[in-house]
Amino acid sequence: MKPRNRKSNVPSTKKNKKNQGHDDFFESAAKRRRKAALDEAIESDDSDEDVFGGGGERENAEDADEEVEETADEKRVRLATEHLERIRAIAKKIEEEEEEEEGEGDDGRERKRDSLVAEMLQKDQLEESGRVRRLLSSRVVEPQPEDRFQVLIKHLQPVTAVCLSEDESRGFSASKDGLIMHWDVETGKKEKYLWPSEEVLISHYAKAREKPSEKRSKHVLTLAVSSDGRYLASGGLDRHVHLWDVRSKEHIQAFHGHRGPVSCLTFRQGTSQLFSGSFDRTIKLWNADDRTHIDNLFGHQSEILTIDCLRKERLLTAGRDRTMRLWKVPEESQLIFRAPAASLECSCFINDSEFMSGSDDGSIELWSMMRKKPTHIVKNAHPSTINQDIPLENGIKEAPQENGKDKNGLTCSTAQSWVSSVAVCRGSDLAASGAGNGTVRLWALEPESRGIHPLHNFPLDGFVNALAFAKSGRFLLAGVGQEPRLGRWGRNRTARNGVAIHPIRLKEEK
């Protein structure tokens, strides 16, 4: 690893503070008396309007002014208070049920309730930090006939990226035509992010085109949203990392520096640190708050395809050099994991020491930081059919074909069988994988990467280019397209470009 390069995209500026109230301080006494008399007259007019019923419109206007947009700190306090109240209600319910069996005094009940609340809060904190795995796979209920993927958001071109906000209420998606959408998960109400003009992009520190006659590509390959919901980052074929303000839906910054398409992005959880991976084989670290470039990471020998990060300063990347790398950023070191037979297409963290990946031969691998080889491999995870998008004359479909084998037993690989996306419900043992064979598969992960076994198959036509779990595990989002994310080597004309959602029913936790 080479030494750090520290650059800043934005020059430092100083804001001049102006003293307010300067004129009021030098007001004459007569002027202050006139102002006080005028205030009393206005108050008397307001009281008259209230008596005769004429102050309703004024009250409504004042109420509207008081409805100020909630800040991030206020939102965190409100959510924490609501969460604590829910836990207290659950503890009280459990206490009442136990009270029927054995009688206790008021002091004993209070102590028992407090200890129960503390125990539940500690469990939530351990699960949030990833030190304790949530057992969700055993609670998944068999899907009902009405439980299927439903198109939530439509796109004209294949969807290349999907991500969810921390509170699961908002989603973001992007497609090959450069369209970035922001939508509500429950209602499906959507808003578009409008690309600024070339002049505005250059003013936001985008690099000018070498040939002014050429148009800047708006083809988006990846998205990432910060944990606090303030920033949305996008990357694509124009070799820039674009930063957007989620509240105003406006473009605020363009980071340049990559010499190839930006293929993957991720925010470090709980921070404004942003990592980007590119076809130029480098990883760059940015700070979204300061709008600065912090560091470069080198090591991959070919294009970087996916990147993931949890709370620690550790990165997981997979590239076309058939390696997956775990980067320890503060130590400036990396661990290299080599794929056994095929190129890795996607990867993600299970926890800080375990990972999951998908390959272009249709297999899924589980990895541990303590071993350089996969701890478990599932071959033929997404069986494919030959010429899936071309109907046969007699209307009979071909039988599923084993990945890596053709009719004559020769080695082959079909684009429909490639595992193009994997996702893990954060801090749990529930995972999902997608390909182009018309099925999204749900998996249960065993502790310490000892194994993986299938739970359910969810039919979905098209290439599954992105997957995103709700943090609660209540639903799964899939970005679907007629073509793969990074090329056009496969096509399914019957698929619909868009974002699909599938509900996941869970049993109540004991």
Side-chain angles (χ1 to χ4, degrees):
M1 183 175 297
K2 295 187 178 182
R4 299 188 173 188
N5 297 331
R6 304 183 180 272
K7 299 178 182 179
S8 175
N9 281 55
V10 184
S12 61
T13 58
K14 296 182 179 180
K15 296 184 179 179
N16 296 324
K17 296 183 180 180
K18 295 183 179 180
N19 295 327
Q20 297 179 354
H22 183 273
D23 297 332
D24 295 336
F25 182 80
F26 291 100
E27 280 183 338
S28 63
K31 191 173 181 180
R32 286 198 296 270
R33 285 195 298 271
R34 287 196 300 270
K35 184 180 289 186
L38 181 61
D39 291 341
E40 290 177 0
I42 293 175
E43 289 177 2
S44 64
D45 292 341
D46 291 343
S47 62
D48 291 341
E49 288 181 358
D50 293 339
V51 171
F52 293 100
E57 296 180 358
R58 185 185 300 273
E59 291 177 358
N60 293 336
E62 291 175 355
D63 293 341
D65 292 338
E66 290 176 358
E67 293 179 359
V68 183
E69 189 174 358
E70 190 177 36
T71 64
D73 291 336
E74 291 172 349
K75 185 177 181 180
R76 279 194 290 268
V77 172
R78 177 177 59 81
L79 292 176
T81 305
E82 291 176 357
H83 182 61
L84 183 59
E85 290 300 327
R86 284 196 298 269
I87 290 180
R88 284 174 176 168
I90 295 173
K92 187 175 181 180
K93 184 178 179 181
I94 295 174
E95 178 193 3
E96 290 175 353
E97 292 176 354
E98 293 179 352
E99 198 177 67
E100 296 177 356
E101 300 177 359
E102 53 182 23
E104 289 186 1
D106 293 339
D107 295 339
R109 285 198 300 269
E110 285 293 331
R111 286 195 299 269
K112 193 171 183 180
R113 185 189 304 173
D114 292 342
S115 63
L116 187 57
V117 169
E119 183 180 348
M120 295 174 72
L121 286 173
Q122 184 180 17
K123 181 184 176 184
D124 289 347
Q125 194 275 334
L126 291 173
E127 289 178 348
E128 176 69 21
S129 62
R131 284 178 284 180
V132 174
R133 182 176 293 183
R134 293 182 295 157
L135 303 178
L136 292 183
S137 61
S138 59
R139 296 170 51 198
V140 176
V141 180
E142 184 76 22
Q144 300 298 320
E146 63 271 14
D147 294 339
R148 62 182 184 276
F149 270 110
Q150 296 181 350
V151 178
L152 183 65
I153 300 296
K154 295 180 181 179
H155 281 261
L156 294 178
Q157 294 292 325
V159 173
T160 56
V162 171
C163 58
L164 263 176
S165 62
E166 190 77 8
D167 58 3
E168 306 176 7
S169 63
R170 297 170 295 171
F172 308 85
S173 58
S175 54
K176 289 187 176 183
D177 57 1
L179 181 62
I180 301 175
M181 283 194 181
H182 174 165
W183 31 270
D184 187 271
V185 174
E186 292 185 0
T187 63
K189 184 181 178 181
K190 58 187 179 182
E191 296 180 74
K192 296 180 182 179
Y193 283 70
L194 300 178
W195 285 92
S197 63
E198 182 68 16
E199 292 77 12
V200 175
L201 284 174
I202 293 176
S203 69
H204 290 175
Y205 300 95
K207 195 173 182 180
R209 305 293 296 171
E210 295 180 0
K211 297 180 180 179
S213 60
E214 293 182 356
K215 288 186 177 180
R216 184 182 298 272
S217 174
K218 293 182 174 60
H219 187 131
V220 180
L221 293 176
T222 178
L223 289 177
V225 62
S226 60
S227 299
D228 57 6
R230 292 175 58 193
Y231 303 113
L232 177 70
S234 67
L237 297 186
D238 70 341
R239 305 178 182 182
H240 285 71
V241 177
H242 296 278
L243 202 62
W244 305 79
D245 189 325
V246 173
R247 292 184 179 179
S248 63
K249 315 292 185 300
E250 293 180 354
H251 186 278
I252 56 177
Q253 183 73 24
F255 296 120
H256 65 266
H258 280 296
R259 297 183 178 181
V262 179
S263 56
C264 47
L265 291 167
T266 184
F267 276 97
R268 181 185 168 200
Q269 292 179 11
T271 71
S272 61
Q273 289 184 0
L274 174 65
F275 296 92
S276 61
S278 170
F279 279 16
D280 63 4
R281 301 174 294 175
T282 66
I283 300 166
K284 293 184 182 295
L285 169 59
W286 317 86
N287 188 300
D289 284 338
D290 298 337
R291 318 279 201 270
T292 55
H293 170 230
I294 299 176
D295 201 358
N296 292 324
L297 302 176
F298 303 92
H300 275 286
Q301 303 302 311
S302 188
E303 296 96 336
I304 300 172
L305 301 181
T306 60
I307 192 169
D308 194 17
C309 184
L310 297 180
R311 287 193 175 273
K312 289 185 177 181
E313 277 193 280
R314 290 184 180 179
L315 284 176
L316 184 69
T317 58
R320 286 219 170 103
D321 54 1
R322 294 175 58 180
T323 67
M324 183 171 60
R325 298 174 186 248
L326 178 65
W327 307 79
K328 298 180 179 180
V329 179
E331 293 88 348
E332 297 186 359
S333 63
Q334 55 181 295
L335 297 177
I336 304 175
F337 305 87
R338 300 191 183 277
S343 175
L344 297 175
E345 290 293 313
C346 51
S347 64
C348 67
F349 274 109
I350 299 174
N351 53 42
D352 289 326
S353 60
E354 296 174 280
F355 340 113
M356 181 179 181
S357 65
S359 303
D360 62 3
D361 65 349
S363 62
I364 292 175
E365 301 86 16
L366 293 183
W367 306 77
S368 173
M369 192 174 66
M370 308 305 296
R371 293 185 60 182
K372 291 299 183 69
K373 294 183 179 180
T375 59
H376 194 81
I377 300 177
V378 179
K379 295 184 178 180
N380 198 32
H382 286 266
S384 178
T385 57
I386 297 296
N387 297 330
Q388 179 177 336
D389 55 333
I390 302 176
L392 301 180
E393 293 181 0
N394 55 8
I396 301 175
K397 293 183 178 179
E398 295 190 33
Q401 173 196 3
E402 184 179 354
N403 293 331
K405 300 290 182 181
D406 64 5
K407 292 181 178 179
N408 302 320
L410 300 176
T411 301
C412 72
S413 180
T414 60
Q416 286 83 6
S417 68
W418 294 9
V419 181
S420 54
S421 58
V422 291
V424 175
C425 185
R426 189 193 304 173
S428 75
D429 60 347
L430 190 62
S433 63
N437 69 326
T439 303
V440 174
R441 303 196 72 180
L442 213 59
W443 306 86
L445 304 174
E446 296 181 7
E448 300 177 0
S449 299
R450 288 197 296 264
I452 179 173
H453 60 270
L455 286 178
H456 304 293
N457 296 337
F458 299 152
L460 181 61
D461 195 19
F463 289 91
V464 182
N465 295 324
L467 288 171
F469 263 110
K471 185 178 174 182
S472 62
R474 296 289 179 179
F475 61 87
L476 175 66
L477 293 173
V480 194
Q482 295 182 352
E483 300 170 353
R485 179 174 79 102
L486 297 175
R488 304 188 65 182
W489 46 79
R491 187 167 179 84
N492 187 343
R493 299 183 184 278
T494 61
R496 300 174 65 185
N497 299 319
V499 180
I501 184 171
H502 195 293
I504 300 175
R505 301 182 186 272
L506 300 176
K507 299 176 185 176
E508 290 297 328
E509 189 176 7
K510 295 182 181 180

